Short mmCIF file of all heavy atoms in Angstrom, two decimals:
data_model
loop_
_atom_site.label_atom_id
_atom_site.label_comp_id
_atom_site.label_asym_id
_atom_site.label_seq_id
_atom_site.Cartn_x
_atom_site.Cartn_y
_atom_site.Cartn_z
N TYR A 21 -26.61 25.65 -2.70
CA TYR A 21 -27.36 26.30 -1.54
C TYR A 21 -26.67 26.09 -0.22
O TYR A 21 -27.10 26.51 0.80
CB TYR A 21 -28.79 25.80 -1.50
CG TYR A 21 -28.90 24.26 -1.60
CD1 TYR A 21 -28.58 23.50 -0.51
CD2 TYR A 21 -29.31 23.63 -2.76
CE1 TYR A 21 -28.67 22.10 -0.57
CE2 TYR A 21 -29.40 22.26 -2.86
CZ TYR A 21 -29.05 21.51 -1.74
OH TYR A 21 -29.13 20.10 -1.79
N MET A 88 -27.17 12.84 14.02
CA MET A 88 -28.36 12.95 13.13
C MET A 88 -28.18 14.10 12.14
O MET A 88 -28.44 13.98 10.93
CB MET A 88 -29.55 13.15 13.98
CG MET A 88 -30.77 12.39 13.64
SD MET A 88 -32.11 12.71 14.75
CE MET A 88 -31.76 11.57 16.07
N ALA A 89 -27.78 15.24 12.61
CA ALA A 89 -27.61 16.45 11.76
C ALA A 89 -26.53 16.18 10.68
O ALA A 89 -26.74 16.62 9.57
CB ALA A 89 -27.21 17.62 12.61
N ILE A 92 -27.99 14.07 7.91
CA ILE A 92 -28.87 14.80 7.02
C ILE A 92 -28.07 15.78 6.11
O ILE A 92 -28.30 15.89 4.96
CB ILE A 92 -29.91 15.60 7.86
CG1 ILE A 92 -30.74 14.65 8.73
CG2 ILE A 92 -30.78 16.49 7.04
CD1 ILE A 92 -31.48 15.31 9.81
N ALA A 93 -27.14 16.50 6.74
CA ALA A 93 -26.31 17.48 6.02
C ALA A 93 -25.62 16.77 4.84
O ALA A 93 -25.58 17.31 3.71
CB ALA A 93 -25.32 18.16 6.90
N ARG A 95 -26.38 13.99 3.25
CA ARG A 95 -27.32 13.52 2.19
C ARG A 95 -27.76 14.71 1.36
O ARG A 95 -28.08 14.55 0.17
CB ARG A 95 -28.56 12.84 2.80
CG ARG A 95 -28.27 11.50 3.39
CD ARG A 95 -27.68 10.51 2.42
NE ARG A 95 -28.58 10.15 1.35
CZ ARG A 95 -28.26 9.35 0.35
NH1 ARG A 95 -27.07 8.82 0.28
NH2 ARG A 95 -29.16 9.05 -0.59
N LEU A 96 -27.90 15.90 2.00
CA LEU A 96 -28.44 17.06 1.25
C LEU A 96 -27.26 17.88 0.67
O LEU A 96 -27.51 19.00 0.10
CB LEU A 96 -29.26 17.92 2.15
CG LEU A 96 -30.55 17.29 2.69
CD1 LEU A 96 -31.24 18.16 3.70
CD2 LEU A 96 -31.51 16.97 1.52
N ARG A 97 -26.09 17.37 0.78
CA ARG A 97 -24.80 18.08 0.24
C ARG A 97 -24.70 19.48 0.86
O ARG A 97 -24.31 20.43 0.21
CB ARG A 97 -24.85 18.15 -1.25
CG ARG A 97 -24.62 16.74 -1.85
CD ARG A 97 -24.87 16.70 -3.37
NE ARG A 97 -24.06 17.67 -4.06
CZ ARG A 97 -24.50 18.33 -5.17
NH1 ARG A 97 -25.67 18.15 -5.65
NH2 ARG A 97 -23.70 19.15 -5.74
N LEU A 98 -25.04 19.54 2.14
CA LEU A 98 -24.84 20.77 2.93
C LEU A 98 -23.43 20.73 3.53
O LEU A 98 -22.81 19.65 3.51
CB LEU A 98 -25.86 20.98 3.97
CG LEU A 98 -27.30 21.25 3.44
CD1 LEU A 98 -28.29 21.05 4.56
CD2 LEU A 98 -27.36 22.66 2.89
N THR A 103 -22.41 22.23 9.98
CA THR A 103 -23.57 21.61 10.71
C THR A 103 -23.09 21.03 12.05
O THR A 103 -23.79 21.19 13.03
CB THR A 103 -24.17 20.51 9.79
OG1 THR A 103 -24.44 21.09 8.56
CG2 THR A 103 -25.43 19.97 10.42
N MET A 189 -32.03 32.18 8.71
CA MET A 189 -31.23 30.97 8.88
C MET A 189 -30.72 30.26 7.68
O MET A 189 -31.46 30.06 6.69
CB MET A 189 -32.09 29.95 9.61
CG MET A 189 -32.04 30.20 11.15
SD MET A 189 -32.76 28.73 11.88
CE MET A 189 -33.47 29.46 13.27
N LEU A 190 -29.54 29.77 7.76
CA LEU A 190 -28.93 28.87 6.80
C LEU A 190 -29.56 27.49 6.87
O LEU A 190 -30.07 27.11 7.93
CB LEU A 190 -27.44 28.71 7.08
CG LEU A 190 -26.53 29.91 6.81
CD1 LEU A 190 -25.14 29.62 7.41
CD2 LEU A 190 -26.39 30.25 5.34
N ALA A 191 -29.50 26.78 5.73
CA ALA A 191 -30.05 25.41 5.78
C ALA A 191 -29.33 24.56 6.82
O ALA A 191 -29.95 23.75 7.52
CB ALA A 191 -29.87 24.74 4.42
N GLU A 192 -28.03 24.78 7.02
CA GLU A 192 -27.28 24.00 8.00
C GLU A 192 -27.86 24.18 9.42
O GLU A 192 -27.92 23.24 10.21
CB GLU A 192 -25.80 24.39 8.00
CG GLU A 192 -24.96 23.87 6.80
CD GLU A 192 -25.14 24.70 5.54
OE1 GLU A 192 -25.94 25.62 5.53
OE2 GLU A 192 -24.43 24.36 4.55
N SER A 193 -28.28 25.40 9.71
CA SER A 193 -28.80 25.72 10.99
C SER A 193 -30.21 25.12 11.16
O SER A 193 -30.55 24.63 12.20
CB SER A 193 -28.88 27.26 11.12
OG SER A 193 -29.17 27.61 12.44
N GLN A 194 -30.97 25.13 10.12
CA GLN A 194 -32.32 24.52 10.10
C GLN A 194 -32.23 23.02 10.33
O GLN A 194 -33.08 22.38 11.00
CB GLN A 194 -33.08 24.82 8.81
CG GLN A 194 -33.33 26.34 8.61
CD GLN A 194 -34.12 26.52 7.31
OE1 GLN A 194 -34.94 25.77 6.89
NE2 GLN A 194 -33.84 27.71 6.63
N VAL A 195 -31.24 22.41 9.75
CA VAL A 195 -31.00 20.96 9.94
C VAL A 195 -30.81 20.67 11.39
O VAL A 195 -31.44 19.74 11.96
CB VAL A 195 -29.80 20.46 9.11
CG1 VAL A 195 -29.33 19.07 9.57
CG2 VAL A 195 -30.07 20.43 7.64
N VAL A 196 -30.04 21.45 12.10
CA VAL A 196 -29.74 21.18 13.53
C VAL A 196 -31.03 21.38 14.36
O VAL A 196 -31.29 20.54 15.27
CB VAL A 196 -28.64 22.15 14.03
CG1 VAL A 196 -28.52 21.97 15.58
CG2 VAL A 196 -27.33 21.83 13.33
N ASP A 197 -31.80 22.37 13.98
CA ASP A 197 -33.10 22.57 14.68
C ASP A 197 -33.95 21.36 14.64
O ASP A 197 -34.49 20.90 15.69
CB ASP A 197 -33.89 23.59 13.90
CG ASP A 197 -33.87 24.95 14.63
OD1 ASP A 197 -33.04 25.05 15.47
OD2 ASP A 197 -34.72 25.79 14.21
N LEU A 198 -34.13 20.79 13.45
CA LEU A 198 -35.03 19.62 13.31
C LEU A 198 -34.38 18.36 13.93
O LEU A 198 -35.07 17.51 14.54
CB LEU A 198 -35.42 19.39 11.87
CG LEU A 198 -36.66 20.22 11.57
CD1 LEU A 198 -36.91 20.35 10.10
CD2 LEU A 198 -37.89 19.60 12.26
N ALA A 199 -33.07 18.23 13.76
CA ALA A 199 -32.39 17.11 14.37
C ALA A 199 -32.53 17.12 15.86
O ALA A 199 -32.79 16.15 16.54
CB ALA A 199 -30.89 17.08 13.96
N ASP A 200 -32.47 18.37 16.45
CA ASP A 200 -32.66 18.57 17.87
C ASP A 200 -33.98 18.04 18.31
O ASP A 200 -34.17 17.24 19.20
CB ASP A 200 -32.50 20.03 18.19
CG ASP A 200 -32.61 20.34 19.68
OD1 ASP A 200 -32.31 19.43 20.54
OD2 ASP A 200 -32.94 21.50 20.00
N ILE A 202 -36.16 16.02 16.64
CA ILE A 202 -36.38 14.57 16.44
C ILE A 202 -35.62 13.84 17.53
O ILE A 202 -36.15 12.87 18.16
CB ILE A 202 -35.85 14.11 15.07
CG1 ILE A 202 -36.74 14.71 13.94
CG2 ILE A 202 -35.88 12.59 14.94
CD1 ILE A 202 -36.21 14.47 12.51
N GLN A 261 -38.42 9.40 10.37
CA GLN A 261 -38.47 10.89 10.37
C GLN A 261 -37.31 11.50 9.62
O GLN A 261 -37.48 12.40 8.83
CB GLN A 261 -38.49 11.47 11.80
CG GLN A 261 -39.79 11.21 12.49
CD GLN A 261 -39.83 11.89 13.88
OE1 GLN A 261 -40.18 13.06 13.99
NE2 GLN A 261 -39.45 11.15 14.89
N VAL A 262 -36.09 10.95 9.85
CA VAL A 262 -34.94 11.50 9.17
C VAL A 262 -35.05 11.23 7.70
O VAL A 262 -34.80 12.16 6.88
CB VAL A 262 -33.62 10.85 9.74
CG1 VAL A 262 -32.39 11.19 8.85
CG2 VAL A 262 -33.38 11.32 11.19
N GLY A 264 -37.88 10.89 5.90
CA GLY A 264 -38.93 11.72 5.40
C GLY A 264 -38.42 13.20 5.29
O GLY A 264 -38.69 13.93 4.31
N LEU A 265 -37.63 13.58 6.31
CA LEU A 265 -37.09 14.92 6.32
C LEU A 265 -36.11 15.18 5.09
O LEU A 265 -36.13 16.23 4.42
CB LEU A 265 -36.39 15.20 7.62
CG LEU A 265 -35.70 16.58 7.87
CD1 LEU A 265 -35.82 16.96 9.29
CD2 LEU A 265 -34.29 16.56 7.41
N ILE A 266 -35.33 14.15 4.85
CA ILE A 266 -34.31 14.33 3.75
C ILE A 266 -35.09 14.42 2.43
O ILE A 266 -34.80 15.35 1.63
CB ILE A 266 -33.35 13.11 3.71
CG1 ILE A 266 -32.40 13.20 4.90
CG2 ILE A 266 -32.61 13.08 2.40
CD1 ILE A 266 -31.55 11.96 5.14
N ASP A 267 -36.12 13.61 2.21
CA ASP A 267 -36.92 13.68 0.94
C ASP A 267 -37.59 15.01 0.76
O ASP A 267 -37.49 15.65 -0.26
CB ASP A 267 -37.92 12.56 0.91
CG ASP A 267 -37.29 11.20 0.79
OD1 ASP A 267 -36.07 11.12 0.42
OD2 ASP A 267 -37.96 10.17 1.05
N GLU A 268 -38.34 15.45 1.83
CA GLU A 268 -39.03 16.70 1.73
C GLU A 268 -38.10 17.88 1.53
O GLU A 268 -38.39 18.74 0.69
CB GLU A 268 -39.82 16.88 3.09
CG GLU A 268 -40.57 18.22 3.20
CD GLU A 268 -41.75 18.35 2.24
OE1 GLU A 268 -42.24 17.28 1.81
OE2 GLU A 268 -42.12 19.47 1.88
N SER A 269 -36.94 17.88 2.25
CA SER A 269 -36.00 19.03 2.18
C SER A 269 -35.37 19.05 0.82
O SER A 269 -35.10 20.12 0.26
CB SER A 269 -34.97 18.94 3.30
OG SER A 269 -35.58 18.78 4.53
N ARG A 270 -35.09 17.87 0.26
CA ARG A 270 -34.41 17.81 -1.05
C ARG A 270 -35.37 18.44 -2.05
O ARG A 270 -34.93 19.23 -2.94
CB ARG A 270 -34.14 16.36 -1.40
CG ARG A 270 -33.32 16.27 -2.68
CD ARG A 270 -32.96 14.80 -2.92
NE ARG A 270 -31.81 14.39 -2.15
CZ ARG A 270 -31.64 13.11 -1.67
NH1 ARG A 270 -32.61 12.24 -1.89
NH2 ARG A 270 -30.57 12.81 -1.02
N ALA A 271 -36.64 18.19 -1.93
CA ALA A 271 -37.65 18.77 -2.87
C ALA A 271 -37.67 20.30 -2.72
O ALA A 271 -37.75 21.03 -3.70
CB ALA A 271 -39.00 18.13 -2.67
N ARG A 272 -37.66 20.72 -1.48
CA ARG A 272 -37.73 22.22 -1.25
C ARG A 272 -36.47 22.92 -1.70
O ARG A 272 -36.53 24.04 -2.09
CB ARG A 272 -37.96 22.44 0.27
CG ARG A 272 -39.29 22.06 0.71
CD ARG A 272 -39.50 22.41 2.17
NE ARG A 272 -40.81 21.94 2.69
CZ ARG A 272 -41.53 22.59 3.57
NH1 ARG A 272 -41.13 23.69 4.15
NH2 ARG A 272 -42.68 22.08 3.97
N LEU A 273 -35.34 22.24 -1.61
CA LEU A 273 -34.07 22.88 -1.96
C LEU A 273 -33.78 22.84 -3.48
O LEU A 273 -32.94 23.51 -3.98
CB LEU A 273 -32.89 22.20 -1.23
CG LEU A 273 -32.77 22.55 0.26
CD1 LEU A 273 -31.92 21.53 0.99
CD2 LEU A 273 -32.21 23.98 0.41
N ALA A 274 -34.49 21.94 -4.18
CA ALA A 274 -34.26 21.73 -5.62
C ALA A 274 -34.26 23.08 -6.38
O ALA A 274 -35.16 23.85 -6.18
CB ALA A 274 -35.26 20.76 -6.21
N MET A 276 -32.44 25.70 -5.95
CA MET A 276 -31.87 26.84 -5.27
C MET A 276 -30.44 27.02 -5.57
O MET A 276 -29.66 26.00 -5.56
CB MET A 276 -32.11 26.76 -3.74
CG MET A 276 -33.57 26.94 -3.40
SD MET A 276 -33.85 27.46 -1.73
CE MET A 276 -35.59 27.34 -1.74
N VAL A 282 -31.72 30.71 0.01
CA VAL A 282 -32.25 29.97 1.18
C VAL A 282 -32.74 30.96 2.23
O VAL A 282 -33.75 30.83 2.79
CB VAL A 282 -31.15 29.06 1.79
CG1 VAL A 282 -31.55 28.53 3.13
CG2 VAL A 282 -30.80 27.91 0.80
N GLN A 285 -36.12 32.82 1.80
CA GLN A 285 -37.40 31.99 1.84
C GLN A 285 -38.22 32.39 3.04
O GLN A 285 -37.65 32.62 4.13
CB GLN A 285 -37.12 30.46 1.90
CG GLN A 285 -36.34 29.94 0.69
CD GLN A 285 -37.02 30.18 -0.65
OE1 GLN A 285 -38.21 29.88 -0.79
NE2 GLN A 285 -36.34 30.81 -1.61
N SER A 287 -40.59 30.39 4.23
CA SER A 287 -40.83 29.14 4.95
C SER A 287 -39.52 28.32 5.00
O SER A 287 -38.65 28.50 4.11
CB SER A 287 -41.95 28.33 4.36
OG SER A 287 -41.76 28.20 3.01
N PRO A 288 -39.39 27.43 5.95
CA PRO A 288 -38.13 26.61 6.09
C PRO A 288 -37.87 25.78 4.85
O PRO A 288 -38.79 25.32 4.19
CB PRO A 288 -38.41 25.73 7.27
CG PRO A 288 -39.64 26.26 7.96
CD PRO A 288 -40.37 27.04 6.97
N VAL A 289 -36.57 25.68 4.56
CA VAL A 289 -36.19 24.75 3.48
C VAL A 289 -35.97 23.30 3.98
O VAL A 289 -35.91 22.37 3.26
CB VAL A 289 -34.93 25.25 2.76
CG1 VAL A 289 -35.19 26.50 1.93
CG2 VAL A 289 -33.75 25.44 3.67
N ILE A 290 -35.73 23.21 5.31
CA ILE A 290 -35.57 21.88 5.94
C ILE A 290 -36.81 21.63 6.72
O ILE A 290 -37.21 22.39 7.62
CB ILE A 290 -34.33 21.91 6.89
CG1 ILE A 290 -33.09 22.38 6.14
CG2 ILE A 290 -34.12 20.52 7.52
CD1 ILE A 290 -32.70 21.48 5.00
N ALA A 291 -37.53 20.56 6.32
CA ALA A 291 -38.83 20.28 6.99
C ALA A 291 -39.19 18.82 6.83
O ALA A 291 -38.73 18.15 5.94
CB ALA A 291 -39.90 21.15 6.32
N LEU A 292 -40.12 18.41 7.71
CA LEU A 292 -40.76 17.12 7.56
C LEU A 292 -41.87 17.19 6.53
O LEU A 292 -42.47 18.31 6.43
CB LEU A 292 -41.31 16.63 8.91
CG LEU A 292 -40.34 16.23 10.03
CD1 LEU A 292 -41.06 16.09 11.36
CD2 LEU A 292 -39.62 14.97 9.66
N PRO A 293 -42.21 16.12 5.88
CA PRO A 293 -43.47 16.13 5.05
C PRO A 293 -44.64 16.56 5.95
O PRO A 293 -44.63 16.21 7.16
CB PRO A 293 -43.66 14.70 4.61
CG PRO A 293 -42.31 14.07 4.80
CD PRO A 293 -41.63 14.78 5.93
#
Side-chain angles (χ1 to χ4, degrees):
Y21 49 74
M88 224 177 272
I92 298 165
R95 289 302 293 178
L96 296 174
R97 290 167 58 214
L98 292 167
T103 307
M189 275 194 215
L190 290 169
E192 283 81 356
S193 191
Q194 296 181 34
V195 165
V196 174
D197 255 15
L198 273 166
D200 183 25
I202 294 173
Q261 288 185 87
V262 169
L265 180 146
I266 289 170
D267 292 344
E268 175 69 23
S269 307
R270 188 177 279 145
R272 290 184 183 211
L273 286 162
M276 288 202 189
V282 168
Q285 299 302 310
S287 51
V289 291
I290 305 298
L292 288 169

